[in-house]
Amino acid sequence: MIDIAHLDLSIAGTPILRDVSLKLGQGRILGLAGESGSGKSMTALSILRLLPPSARLSGHVHLDGQDLTTLSEQQMCSVRGRQIGMIFQEPMTALNPVQSIGDQVAETLVIHGAARRGEARRIAVERLERVGLSPDHIPPDRFPHELSGGQRQRVCIALAIALRPRVLIADEPTTALDVTTQERILGLIRGLVDEQNMACLFITHDLAVLAELADDIAVMKAGEVVEAGATLDVLRHRRHPYTRALFEASRHQPVRVPAPPAAAPLLRVERVVRDYPLPRQRLFGARPGFRAVDGVSFDLHRGESLGLVGESGCGKSTLTRAILGLEPIQGGAIRLGGEKITPQMPPALRRRMQVVFQDPYGSFNPRHSAARLIAEPFHLGGRPADLDLRVAEALESVGLRPTDADKYPHEFSGGQRQRLAIARALITRPDLIVLDEAVSALDVRVRAQILDLLADLQGRLGLTYLFISHDLTVVRAVTDRVLVMKAGQIVEAGTTAAVFAAPSHPYTRTLLDAAPMLPEAMA
Amino acid sequence: MMRLPVQFLLGVTLSTAFLAAALISLVWTPQDVTALDIAGKLAAPGAGHPLGTDHLGRDMLSMLMAGARTSIAVALVAVGIGIVLGVPLGLAAAARHRSLLDEFIMRGNDLIFAFPSLVIAILITAVLGPSALNAILAIGIFNIPVFARVARGAALTLWNREFILAARVAGKGPARISAEHILPNIANLLVVQGTIQFSMGILAEAGLSYVGLGAQPPTPSWGRMLADSQTFFYTFPRLAVLPGLAIVLMVLGLNLMGDGLRDMLDPRLRRTIR
Amino acid sequence: MFGYVAHRLISLALSLLAASIVVFAVIEVIPGDPASYMLGLNASDETVAALRETLGLSGGPIARYLHWLGGMLTGDFGTSYTYRVPVAQLVGDRLWVSLPLAVYALALSTLIALPIGALAAARRGRAVDYGIMGLTQIGVAVPNFWFAMLLVIAFSITWKVFPPGGFPGWDAGFLPGLRALTLPAVALALPQASILARVMRSALIETLHQDFIRTARAKGLSEGQAIRRHGMRNAMIPVLTIVGLQFSFLLAGTIIIEKVFFLPGLGLLIFQGITQRDLIVVESVVMLLVFAVILVTFMVDLAYALVDPRLRR
């Protein structure tokens, strides 16, 4: 149906794709897997020829016998949207903020002359209903900002399939979404592919998603397809070393020392309440409040690794900020080693707790050297005399070289930066390290290395981790106990093994069912 | 490419040329700018007066050089006032985002924005009488909310970055974070805004002295040279054309320099220009 | 939407109140006794007291402020000391020169700038773009009053197409009035149009890098269609901000440009007021200018809500 042959792409002289060949069949989903920078998205954009002006493309893309690479730009415009529809990763920004969702779907029909305005609007309502946005709940005159991320992605799907295209390209369509939303969107895509007999190219970094969704898989590395075949075959036999590496990293389980028997709790969170004031609804009305954290209690013992999971908006980030003493709480108490945590806590107490954030690019001041960045936690209460030694020590313990101290953040790779962030957290020799989505932005192989590092450090230094994540696979691999948070409350708590084996709360079950997992049978 | 470095170089050349002329005029001008020579008035360009003389016989080249001094001094000090008062206000507002302080600073900004610099100059002049100092004050006050807004806007996006959170976890307070992490990272923007306000200051100063609200005689200024020329420019267009050209070239130079700086300092913009 | 408008209206009223306090404080409180200031150093105590009486300047500053504010709300701006007529009457006559001039210039500027800016954005990196950017770069640097002088030399002296100055009054008919205001409006508009065109271009180019433009292209829109159907309206948000700011620049600009063309507008009135120390006139005109700027800010806020559904609530 669509046949991509020997595609080569370079942008501004830099080679991006090399000899990429793929085949998509009717009613089948081809999963395109690979790490960031492997050329997955560029392959998709090459099919649609939506490339920057400096791009040079060679090779062939045959759609039902017609070679798209020979078409003029004007002819391509009539292919896009009519024959090939595409959805993108970021539903929050993919829609025009100043146009209603109905009009955006209708535009696909109008622009290709398939319907007049009124008729197009009527069809748009139908398509929106098909993707799960019934006009009774989400009228087509709504604007994107009034919709959730999942709903916006549904709109994107509706406008991509409005003309019933032969091919649907989906570029990481669920990466920015929560697992339960992801499950529903994946189900929707599968249903549409079957119903309309489309060919679908589904791009993702997540092998587990493909294991559940795709009929075929192609694995890309550095601009080349290294392995392709039926999903089960590729995942079971993993003939190419890179496929094997990806697969193993995806389900990587670091070797961990079990937590020592619980003594007095290191961190004690008691009935914590955090309210946010919202903007006034009426001019002189009282400001309504929003309770982001609602009576949360738990203990964290020394040497233990505790997971905190939940979907976006559940209050886990707010709780994290309160535990770090960045924001005041409106009820309850947080104690570290018996001392109360507040935004005004003394420096000595602050130093006993450090944090590693998600974004390895955003967590460093680009203008400071590694040594200065790592030493930042010493800001309060003076620098120790052996500062240089301790910086070197921290760098070595995270697998970097002491000579890296003079480098600047941009000279490190993403994984190295996350190591740097861990070094910064280690330097005060803290009791507790809060890992706030610390591995969520990393590619799977790097993620596996960082998880190993964290496990190793915990064993060697007797660290205590509070591991906050939306990723259940990771939480399962590295924590002793887990808390499940929903709407500001802890709905389930228990040992990780028990919760994952036999969840007691229905929400936990929903989460676990929705989370894509690589089947055990393939191991 | 849209803006070649050539344009930046042209901007730097023009700006430094005027700056040099202004500096030289402090110690030397071809003729004494205060010396009147009624007999030699409205002389065409020639020996002794490369650009001719004005309606009072003063040497045009000397007047233009000394006028550059007034323009640059007024605009530069006004930019200084804007930066020194506006940037800390903007940083404070961002550090205490959505607090009463933020609200207060932003409303104060809006209030000043309601007064165009000419209106501020009129108010000050009505009370204190006209002088170059009034022009500085008027343009300077107008610059305060400009820099406050730029600083606040840029600082707000930084405050959400994780490296600021990391600094807060290290126990650093808002003042220290603003000075250590925010200010160095928004300095680029402030430099670019500074050149823009500088060139706008030159234009504003010319306007103010043209209507008599700026530098007073005998201090030479481009705006007043234009005002003086008005009676004669039907017959001697040179008197109006020369100071006007000086203003245009100076402002053009600063703008080209500012654009070049922005492109060089902001990699994101460099990309979008392509 | 209603909540948004109500919120903006209250903000408008508060801004006006705050601005009036500032103007009053600067003119009537900071210099000390306005009456003796207006009469100069040589005035006798009796004349000062008499003037204070006629101007209603007795009483404390707060009482005087309230009196002044109450007067303005009812259309009574006080009496000019030099002209001996109600200021409202003086201002009313002049306003019908300055306001049409500012609006004329704003309309010209917007009509010229938006298409040119859009054209440059659509042809970015090509010869047309270089040409437009070069011209506007110069336009931004030209002082409007100097440009006005050049226009007079060209169109009034050399070619004699437009009058070099003066204003026949609207009684002489709409077209003669418009003709008298054309050169001043063009002089005001072109430098502003240069700024606006540049803003339009960069705002459009900025939106072209947004994800939703890519979505539109994937739907099958050509680049030009994507710009027209999706880029324009989003680019309007920054453009509106600048249009609002430009009105206040243009209003200030009219005051300066009136001097070039000898137009009997607010500018002439205010400069006479300053020279003759007629504080009541200065105060009223300044308040009027500030009122106009705040009103335009309010209208721009309303326009935002029309363009951007995220602001309607």
Side-chain angles (χ1 to χ4, degrees):
Chain A
M1 171 133 181
I2 195 162
D3 192 352
I4 300 160
H6 311 298
L7 218 50
D8 281 280
L9 172 71
S10 69
I11 294 177
T14 315
I16 305 290
L17 299 178
R18 249 172 268 135
D19 197 27
V20 170
S21 297
L22 296 168
K23 272 192 173 59
L24 278 78
Q26 243 173 0
R28 290 181 77 82
I29 297 178
L30 169 65
L32 192 55
E35 293 176 305
S36 42
S38 60
K40 308 184 296 282
S41 298
M42 279 302 162
T43 306
L45 294 175
S46 298
I47 297 172
L48 282 179
R49 298 238 317 266
L50 285 176
L51 295 164
S54 59
R56 294 286 164 270
L57 184 69
S58 67
H60 305 280
V61 178
H62 285 282
L63 174 65
D64 292 332
Q66 187 182 32
D67 190 349
L68 298 184
T69 56
T70 61
L71 298 186
S72 70
E73 171 59 26
Q74 205 184 346
Q75 288 169 315
M76 265 321 283
C77 281
S78 65
V79 170
R80 295 181 200 126
R82 187 202 292 272
Q83 313 251 26
I84 308 176
M86 179 155 180
I87 46 182
F88 299 94
Q89 174 169 354
E90 275 304 332
M92 303 315 270
T93 52
L95 294 169
N96 185 346
V98 302
Q99 199 176 36
S100 75
I101 57 171
D103 284 352
Q104 296 194 50
V105 176
E107 188 180 42
T108 310
L109 300 151
V110 173
I111 211 81
H112 291 283
R116 290 187 179 280
R117 229 179 153 70
E119 173 73 357
R121 285 211 172 124
R122 198 189 53 71
I123 301 174
V125 174
E126 258 175 49
R127 296 291 189 272
L128 283 168
E129 191 154 18
R130 172 61 194 92
V131 300
L133 300 175
S134 96
D136 305 333
H137 298 294
I138 311 284
D141 59 357
R142 288 280 175 88
F143 288 93
H145 72 278
E146 300 171 289
L147 273 56
S148 71
Q151 290 169 334
R152 292 190 209 190
Q153 195 59 289
R154 285 173 193 271
V155 176
C156 292
I157 294 173
L159 62 84
I161 58 140
L163 276 169
R164 303 190 186 279
R166 316 284 322 271
V167 183
L168 178 67
I169 301 177
D171 187 359
E172 303 262 12
T174 57
T175 306
L177 305 174
D178 284 324
V179 275
T180 51
T181 316
Q182 161 166 290
E183 188 191 32
R184 290 193 290 267
I185 297 287
L186 294 179
L188 173 63
I189 291 176
R190 181 79 249 182
L192 287 167
V193 167
D194 293 345
E195 180 185 303
Q196 299 181 14
N197 213 11
M198 285 187 290
C200 175
L201 179 66
F202 190 99
I203 297 170
T204 181
H205 66 285
D206 191 343
L207 283 182
V209 166
L210 292 185
E212 290 182 2
L213 178 77
D215 302 298
D216 306 288
I217 287 187
V219 181
M220 283 192 82
K221 183 195 180 197
E224 289 179 88
V225 175
V226 296
E227 185 170 0
T231 301
L232 279 178
D233 184 51
V234 170
L235 290 183
R236 191 166 289 148
H237 299 111
R238 309 191 283 278
R239 291 179 188 87
H240 194 278
Y242 181 71
T243 314
R244 208 172 308 140
L246 276 189
F247 186 88
E248 270 149 27
S250 299
R251 36 179 296 130
H252 181 74
Q253 201 125 22
V255 184
R256 297 187 57 240
V257 186
L266 173 66
L267 178 74
R268 171 154 258 185
V269 175
E270 289 171 300
R271 296 185 306 281
V272 165
V273 172
R274 175 81 177 103
D275 290 323
Y276 280 113
L278 293 176
R280 284 184 184 82
Q281 298 292 316
R282 271 173 298 154
L283 274 172
F284 299 105
R287 291 180 78 167
F290 172 70
R291 184 153 287 192
V293 176
D294 187 6
V296 166
S297 302
F298 65 85
D299 285 348
L300 174 54
H301 301 280
R302 193 175 289 276
E304 197 183 25
S305 182
L306 176 67
L308 177 61
V309 300
E311 297 187 295
S312 49
C314 74
K316 59 184 195 300
S317 309
T318 309
L319 179 60
T320 309
R321 283 163 179 255
I323 291 173
L324 290 170
L326 294 177
E327 285 173 10
I329 51 177
Q330 281 70 45
I334 304 171
R335 287 194 175 80
L336 183 69
E339 292 180 75
K340 205 164 179 177
I341 290 174
T342 63
Q344 294 80 32
M345 64 180 151
L349 180 57
R350 215 177 254 288
R351 280 188 185 188
R352 295 178 58 189
M353 181 166 56
Q354 292 297 329
V355 61
V356 178
F357 292 109
Q358 168 177 3
D359 182 7
Y361 295 93
S363 52
F364 296 110
N365 186 337
R367 289 160 195 281
H368 291 178
S369 70
R372 185 168 175 195
L373 293 167
I374 292 176
E376 186 164 45
F378 281 125
H379 145 73
L380 290 173
R383 285 152 193 273
D386 58 344
L387 181 68
D388 291 345
L389 201 71
R390 283 178 74 162
V391 167
E393 189 186 286
L395 283 170
E396 280 191 311
S397 64
V398 298
L400 295 171
R401 285 180 315 241
T403 48
D404 289 335
D406 301 327
K407 288 195 193 165
Y408 285 82
H410 68 267
E411 297 176 74
F412 294 96
S413 71
Q416 284 175 325
R417 286 190 213 205
Q418 213 56 339
R419 286 172 189 270
L420 211 54
I422 296 169
R424 173 169 63 189
L426 287 176
I427 193 126
T428 58
R429 296 173 186 151
D431 297 315
L432 171 66
I433 295 188
V434 177
L435 300 160
D436 187 0
E437 301 277 5
V439 296
S440 303
L442 303 174
D443 275 323
V444 281
R445 289 185 302 161
V446 179
R447 185 177 78 187
Q449 290 165 7
I450 297 291
L451 289 177
D452 278 342
L453 172 66
L454 288 171
D456 172 55
L457 289 169
Q458 185 169 40
R460 274 198 291 139
L461 306 174
L463 294 170
T464 309
Y465 291 151
L466 177 60
F467 199 101
I468 295 131
S469 182
H470 70 280
D471 188 337
L472 294 165
T473 324
V474 172
V475 168
R476 185 180 198 175
V478 300
T479 60
D480 303 300
R481 281 193 305 132
V482 66
L483 308 168
V484 181
M485 198 165 175
K486 188 194 180 205
Q489 296 179 322
I490 305 281
V491 296
E492 181 158 6
T495 65
T496 305
V499 170
F500 275 79
S504 63
H505 194 277
Y507 178 68
T508 316
R509 273 197 292 278
T510 317
L511 273 188
L512 285 176
D513 288 345
M517 303 261 177
L518 284 171
E520 296 290 334
M522 288 179 180
Chain B
M1 289 298 289
M2 189 55 228
R3 296 184 191 85
L4 298 162
V6 173
Q7 300 199 11
F8 174 69
L9 287 178
L10 180 65
V12 173
T13 313
L14 281 172
S15 310
T16 31
F18 279 101
L19 190 66
L23 287 176
I24 293 169
S25 78
L26 286 173
V27 289
W28 176 82
T29 48
Q31 308 278 332
D32 182 358
V33 286
T34 51
L36 307 185
D37 173 16
I38 305 298
K41 70 176 185 183
L42 298 168
H49 300 292
L51 297 175
T53 61
D54 74 354
H55 63 294
L56 296 176
R58 292 172 293 191
D59 178 50
M60 285 294 278
L61 178 62
S62 308
M63 294 276 286
L64 286 175
M65 284 173 68
R69 189 172 71 206
T70 313
S71 284
I72 291 173
V74 169
L76 208 56
V77 177
V79 168
I81 292 175
I83 289 180
V84 168
L85 295 178
V87 172
L89 283 174
L91 290 178
R96 292 265 177 263
H97 185 40
R98 296 209 173 121
S99 69
L100 268 179
L101 178 75
D102 184 19
E103 187 71 10
F104 184 74
I105 291 175
M106 290 322 286
R107 293 290 81 78
N109 268 349
D110 290 348
L111 183 60
I112 301 182
F113 259 131
F115 291 81
S117 57
L118 180 76
V119 173
I120 303 177
I122 287 172
L123 274 176
I124 298 175
T125 309
V127 176
L128 298 177
S131 76
L133 188 67
N134 289 352
I136 291 178
L137 272 181
I139 303 168
I141 291 175
F142 181 78
N143 278 342
I144 295 173
V146 173
F147 281 100
R149 281 199 178 189
V150 170
R152 177 176 177 274
L156 275 182
T157 61
L158 284 177
W159 271 99
N160 290 325
R161 294 273 295 274
E162 287 181 340
F163 74 87
I164 301 295
L165 271 181
R168 289 174 65 199
V169 171
K172 290 185 180 172
R176 173 123 192 198
I177 289 177
S178 294
E180 198 171 298
H181 289 297
I182 307 272
L183 193 56
N185 280 301
I186 66 169
N188 290 351
L189 274 175
L190 296 179
V191 168
V192 171
Q193 193 64 42
T195 58
I196 294 172
Q197 295 311 117
F198 190 9
S199 76
M200 285 179 68
I202 302 262
L203 280 175
E205 191 276 336
L208 290 180
S209 38
Y210 172 74
V211 292
L213 297 179
Q216 296 301 301
T219 315
S221 97
W222 291 342
R224 240 203 22 268
M225 288 170 77
L226 283 172
D228 290 344
S229 77
Q230 208 171 340
T231 347
F232 305 94
F233 77 87
Y234 299 94
T235 33
F236 299 94
R238 170 177 53 89
L239 295 187
V241 170
L242 287 176
L245 268 184
I247 297 170
V248 171
L249 290 178
M250 173 89 214
V251 173
L252 186 66
L254 285 170
N255 286 345
L256 288 174
M257 194 170 82
D259 285 0
L261 274 178
R262 187 185 55 199
D263 294 354
M264 279 186 282
L265 295 176
D266 186 351
R268 198 181 65 94
L269 261 167
R270 206 180 308 156
R271 208 183 47 216
T272 55
I273 278 156
R274 240 202 336 219
Chain C
M1 189 69 191
F2 174 76
Y4 179 81
V5 174
H7 192 256
R8 290 291 116 197
L9 265 175
I10 289 186
S11 153
L12 167 81
L14 289 179
S15 306
L16 283 175
L17 199 66
S20 70
I21 293 174
V22 171
V23 172
F24 183 83
V26 172
I27 298 267
E28 294 206 21
V29 181
I30 293 175
D33 181 7
S36 49
Y37 175 83
M38 285 162 82
L39 289 173
L41 290 173
N42 300 327
S44 66
D45 290 350
E46 292 87 68
T47 33
V48 171
L51 179 66
R52 206 178 286 145
E53 202 55 45
T54 37
L55 295 179
L57 290 182
S58 36
I62 294 176
R64 267 163 41 211
Y65 170 71
L66 291 176
H67 179 252
W68 175 65
L69 190 67
M72 276 201 307
L73 289 176
T74 53
D76 175 13
F77 287 64
T79 308
S80 160
Y81 160 61
T82 39
Y83 293 89
R84 304 279 174 191
V85 288
V87 176
Q89 187 191 325
L90 280 176
V91 169
D93 293 345
R94 310 295 202 277
L95 188 62
W96 288 109
V97 178
S98 299
L99 193 63
L101 177 54
V103 173
Y104 190 3
L106 188 69
L108 272 182
S109 156
T110 314
L111 287 178
I112 296 169
L114 297 193
I116 284 183
L119 180 69
R123 301 263 186 281
R124 63 193 177 284
R126 300 197 215 146
V128 182
D129 184 25
Y130 290 128
I132 290 174
M133 291 307 278
L135 271 180
T136 55
Q137 186 71 270
I138 294 170
V140 169
V142 172
N144 49 29
F145 58 93
W146 179 65
F147 187 50
M149 291 179 176
L150 298 186
L151 287 178
V152 169
I153 293 177
F155 292 97
S156 306
I157 298 168
T158 315
W159 294 312
K160 301 191 174 20
V161 190
F162 287 101
F167 186 69
W170 294 110
D171 301 336
F174 178 70
L175 279 181
L178 199 68
R179 192 159 163 262
L181 292 185
T182 295
L183 275 194
V186 169
L188 281 170
L190 284 190
Q192 297 296 318
S194 301
I195 297 175
L196 196 58
R198 295 175 80 85
V199 171
M200 179 71 187
R201 174 185 179 273
S202 59
L204 255 184
I205 291 178
E206 183 74 21
T207 61
L208 292 185
H209 290 269
Q210 304 282 328
D211 282 354
F212 60 79
I213 294 289
R214 192 177 55 180
T215 305
R217 298 278 280 130
K219 270 192 221 178
L221 276 73
S222 70
E223 189 176 37
Q225 283 172 322
I227 294 179
R228 281 193 298 280
R229 302 176 76 117
H230 295 280
M232 286 290 193
R233 192 148 170 209
N234 281 281
M236 272 307 136
I237 295 163
V239 167
L240 268 175
T241 310
I242 301 299
V243 169
L245 278 180
Q246 290 209 328
F247 187 77
S248 84
F249 276 108
L250 286 172
L251 213 54
T254 52
I255 289 179
I256 295 181
I257 220 118
E258 280 166 11
K259 189 171 140 82
V260 182
F261 293 93
F262 307 103
L263 294 173
L266 290 175
L268 241 45
L269 183 64
I270 204 166
F271 291 123
Q272 280 164 2
I274 290 173
T275 334
Q276 294 159 350
R277 301 193 163 195
D278 196 341
L279 286 184
I280 307 296
V281 166
V282 175
E283 190 177 45
S284 306
V285 178
V286 164
M287 202 49 227
L288 195 72
L289 293 174
V290 172
F291 173 73
V293 172
I294 293 176
L295 194 68
V296 168
T297 313
F298 170 74
M299 294 196 300
V300 167
D301 282 341
L302 293 193
Y304 280 144
L306 287 181
V307 172
D308 191 343
R310 287 165 293 188
L311 290 176
R312 296 175 218 153
R313 259 180 301 172

